[in-house]
Amino acid sequence: MKGNAIELIDITKRFGEVVANHKVNMVVRKGEILSLLGENGSGKTTLMNMLSGIYFPDEGQILLDGQEIVIRSPEDAFRYGIGMIHQHFKLVDVYTAAQNIILGIPGKFMLNKKEIYKDIRELTEKYGFEIDLDKKIYEMSVSEKQTVEIVKMLYRGANILILDEPTAVLTPQETDRLFGVLRNMKKDGKAVIIITHKLQEVLELSDRVAVLRKGEYIGTVETKDATELSLTEMMVGKKVSLNIGRTEPVNRKKLINIEHLTCLNKEGVKALDDVSFEIYGGEILGIAGIAGAGQKELLESIAGLQKSEEGSSILYKAIDNNDEIQLVGRSVNDIKNLGISLAFVPEDRLGMGLVGNMGMIGNMMLRSYNEGKSFFTEKKAPAELAERIKNRLDVATPSINTPVRKLSGGNVQKVLVGREIALAPRVLMTAYAVRGLDINTSYTIYNILSEEKEKGVAVVYVGEDLDVLIELCDRILVLCGGRVSGIVDARTTTKEEVGMLMTKLKGEEE
């Protein structure tokens, strides 16, 4: 045995009356990859934030190599060889990779550039990283930025690495590369802790899995003895079903026809370039692409939130007479006033989706992205709807009047998805509907979307997890650099095919 790297003993953390972690006892070994699992609000990130110096425990001990240590700041964590890579990277955009790696290390900016590059290159070659040290952060993909963050931690001497949802926005190929690097780190005796919701990855990568439930430590199991079902039951504390009930589309009806859709982002660069496809009622159309490939602009163009360029066409078939209504040039209110039944779950939950200072009832009454127009005239119906959503999606909130900004990200998402589905739309568009949700709630959402499809609703699902896209959707449209690189049958495609389309347009030279 290589021994324990870190040991947590009776760790407790409170925020006011809320107990985020209660007497957690957990061991992380040297030379292992440990996955940390739990439902939303189970205390995973809080626990790891105590190891990385962001929070300080109210009770308990942390042992490093068998000796008690006190971590009061990220600087303390660095000193003890603990580094955490958060979902939102802490990099300086205008600096190069090399400058970010040495940033904050006393005296390093004054040292010989050749020596620094030599040291960093030795590190990257040792673990199998691919990195351009002279490239500016703002020019990098998400995967490249993540690589800089990990190399930065290793360069500072980290022996214990914590990664929070590291594959959330990576392609399958980028994920495979990351896993190769993490396995090399494990071989070198590093301890790696991964917080993730993707159970397939947990089973593929980790040696052991630790599970938290409602802030308490449930146990750690050997990955070889675990299954997706057994891990989910540990997280939830009861029997669950992990089946997406995809049915064959019945009575598919074309509801939206999009031709030559082009739009610009805030910088005036083409976010969508000559995009054409069709949306059908009675099916789930998945949208895949690396971050920033045009997914956001695509949904917002249809919803009336994004201006389209001349020559763009979005034709909606009316319910009564099958007349085609042009949506280009129409605002959200115009679309609503025409009787077009469109629901949209945006990516920006509290920016566009919900009003943070309002409770669930207020947010049922007000779709904030819809310019403040209320679709209820009195409070009884929205209160009943809020209660229904709270129960159906198990929203963890003290009250349906509690401001939604006080809820966890996962619970905010449940409120938003529940509200839009409750509108009984004819077209339902969702951007990352399950981002940040635990697996049990995610499957509830998948099955609700499938139920909507069976009612004849056209469901457009923008997602990050290719396994889910392939299992949930009927067709998958793949975007690459704002253009359609392919539309594939979800029942016959592979992750590899979709991953290749995400990074390369058909017909491009090798």
Side-chain angles (χ1 to χ4, degrees):
M1 288 292 291
K2 294 179 180 176
N4 296 337
I6 280 277
E7 193 172 347
L8 306 178
I9 302 170
D10 289 337
I11 294 291
T12 296
K13 181 65 185 172
R14 303 180 190 88
F15 297 98
E17 294 177 6
V18 177
V19 181
N21 294 119
H22 178 64
K23 292 192 176 297
V24 172
N25 291 278
M26 198 173 87
V27 169
V28 186
R29 298 170 184 161
K30 295 175 183 176
E32 81 162 350
I33 298 173
L34 177 80
S35 289
L36 185 58
L37 285 182
E39 291 189 279
N40 297 115
S42 62
K44 306 181 298 293
T45 303
T46 300
L47 189 66
M48 291 300 102
N49 279 340
M50 285 187 275
L51 275 184
S52 63
I54 292 171
Y55 296 146
F56 187 72
D58 296 319
E59 297 169 20
Q61 298 171 287
I62 299 172
L63 305 186
L64 176 74
D65 293 330
Q67 301 295 313
E68 184 173 359
I69 59 170
V70 176
I71 304 173
R72 293 188 179 274
S73 67
E75 288 73 26
D76 286 346
F78 280 140
R79 200 168 65 252
Y80 290 121
I82 302 167
M84 184 166 176
I85 290 93
H86 299 267
Q87 289 185 65
H88 303 291
F89 305 134
K90 302 178 187 305
L91 299 169
V92 181
D93 271 3
V94 295
Y95 282 2
T96 64
Q99 288 171 327
N100 271 279
I101 289 165
I102 64 171
L103 189 62
I105 302 177
K108 282 290 183 184
F109 253 83
M110 308 301 294
L111 292 180
N112 184 308
K113 180 179 174 181
K114 198 179 283 185
E115 284 294 313
I116 290 170
Y117 273 48
K118 179 173 168 287
D119 291 346
I120 296 174
R121 287 213 172 92
E122 282 177 5
L123 199 61
T124 57
E125 285 166 14
K126 179 178 182 181
Y127 295 112
F129 291 104
E130 294 174 18
I131 187 171
D132 178 351
L133 295 178
D134 292 316
K135 196 171 184 179
K136 298 276 178 75
I137 298 301
Y138 67 80
E139 299 172 321
M140 292 185 174
S141 69
V142 174
S143 173
E144 289 172 309
K145 290 176 186 175
Q146 186 182 68
T147 297
V148 174
E149 282 278 29
I150 297 172
V151 172
K152 184 173 82 175
M153 295 300 174
L154 292 172
Y155 188 73
R156 288 157 195 249
N159 290 312
I160 299 157
L161 245 89
I162 305 160
L163 296 97
D164 192 358
E165 300 284 354
T167 66
V169 290
L170 301 186
T171 67
Q173 289 81 358
E174 289 167 340
T175 297
D176 288 343
R177 279 201 297 274
L178 173 65
F179 285 4
V181 166
L182 296 180
R183 289 185 182 108
N184 288 337
M185 288 164 55
K186 168 185 148 180
K187 281 181 201 164
D188 194 41
K190 307 283 186 193
V192 180
I193 306 167
I194 291 185
I195 303 171
T196 181
H197 286 116
K198 297 182 180 179
L199 293 187
Q200 317 96 301
E201 294 179 357
V202 169
L203 296 172
E204 179 187 342
L205 180 68
S206 59
D207 300 293
R208 295 187 307 140
V209 187
V211 178
L212 297 181
R213 189 195 311 148
K214 294 180 180 174
E216 299 195 350
Y217 173 71
I218 300 304
T220 301
V221 295
E222 298 284 333
T223 308
K224 62 181 173 55
D225 301 326
T227 64
E228 286 192 25
L229 203 56
S230 70
L231 292 174
T232 305
E233 287 173 3
M234 277 184 79
M235 284 193 287
V236 178
K238 61 186 179 185
K239 294 278 183 191
V240 292
S241 170
L242 294 183
N243 291 315
I244 296 177
R246 177 171 61 189
T247 54
E248 289 289 337
V250 178
N251 297 328
R252 281 168 83 240
K253 287 183 182 171
K254 190 198 295 183
L255 297 187
I256 295 180
N257 187 44
I258 295 172
E259 290 186 341
H260 310 299
L261 178 60
T262 300
C263 65
L264 309 180
N265 63 19
K266 289 175 184 171
E267 287 73 44
V269 177
K270 279 186 183 177
L272 291 175
D273 184 6
D274 197 27
V275 167
S276 298
F277 66 100
E278 296 164 338
I279 298 173
Y280 289 89
E283 78 163 11
I284 300 179
L285 174 68
I287 310 286
I290 60 173
Q295 303 94 313
K296 177 176 182 283
E297 291 81 4
L298 178 59
L299 297 197
E300 289 184 6
S301 296
I302 300 168
L305 292 158
Q306 167 79 44
K307 181 178 178 290
S308 304
E309 295 301 292
E310 193 174 340
S312 302
S313 174
I314 305 172
L315 289 175
Y316 174 89
K317 280 196 182 290
I319 298 173
D320 305 331
N321 50 18
N322 251 8
D323 280 356
E324 292 188 321
I325 303 168
Q326 180 59 254
L327 301 188
V328 169
R330 298 188 189 276
S331 69
V332 174
N333 275 336
D334 291 339
I335 291 170
K336 177 173 175 270
N337 292 335
L338 283 166
I340 294 170
S341 180
L342 195 69
F344 177 33
V345 179
E347 183 177 353
D348 183 359
R349 298 168 188 177
L350 287 177
M352 289 173 65
L354 300 170
V355 178
N357 288 328
M358 286 185 173
M360 285 182 68
I361 294 177
N363 275 291
M364 295 306 113
M365 296 178 72
L366 187 73
R367 295 170 79 185
S368 58
Y369 73 79
N370 195 0
E371 300 173 14
K373 291 277 184 174
S374 173
F375 56 91
F376 286 114
T377 54
E378 42 81 30
K379 282 194 174 182
K380 187 181 175 197
E384 289 172 354
L385 176 57
E387 201 62 56
R388 210 158 60 238
I389 291 169
K390 177 177 179 285
N391 294 334
R392 185 175 187 186
L393 296 181
D394 196 21
V395 178
T397 178
S399 152
I400 54 177
N401 291 306
T402 300
V404 295
R405 64 179 166 76
K406 293 190 174 181
L407 308 185
S408 73
N411 284 300
V412 169
Q413 184 71 336
K414 292 178 190 180
V415 174
L416 184 51
V417 172
R419 182 192 69 184
E420 295 300 301
I421 290 170
L423 293 171
R426 196 166 176 232
V427 178
L428 170 63
M429 302 186 295
T430 69
Y432 310 107
V434 299
R435 182 184 276 170
L437 296 184
D438 56 75
I439 191 160
N440 195 35
T441 307
S442 297
Y443 273 82
T444 302
I445 299 290
Y446 302 147
N447 288 318
I448 288 173
L449 296 179
S450 293
E451 288 167 14
E452 293 300 301
K453 161 189 144 179
E454 287 171 21
K455 293 175 189 171
V457 174
V459 180
V460 182
Y461 177 88
V462 175
E464 294 158 330
D465 189 326
L466 294 190
D467 289 298
V468 169
L469 278 163
I470 288 168
E471 195 179 344
L472 172 69
C473 302
D474 299 293
R475 291 184 302 142
I476 301 172
L477 179 146
V478 188
L479 289 172
C480 175
R483 296 170 67 188
V484 176
S485 57
I487 299 177
V488 296
D489 184 332
R491 288 170 173 77
T492 58
T493 192
T494 63
K495 269 204 317 187
E496 290 68 32
E497 181 186 16
V498 176
M500 286 297 292
L501 289 170
M502 285 165 68
T503 54
K504 187 174 164 184
L505 289 166
K506 276 189 173 174
E508 281 188 353
E509 294 296 318
E510 289 291 341

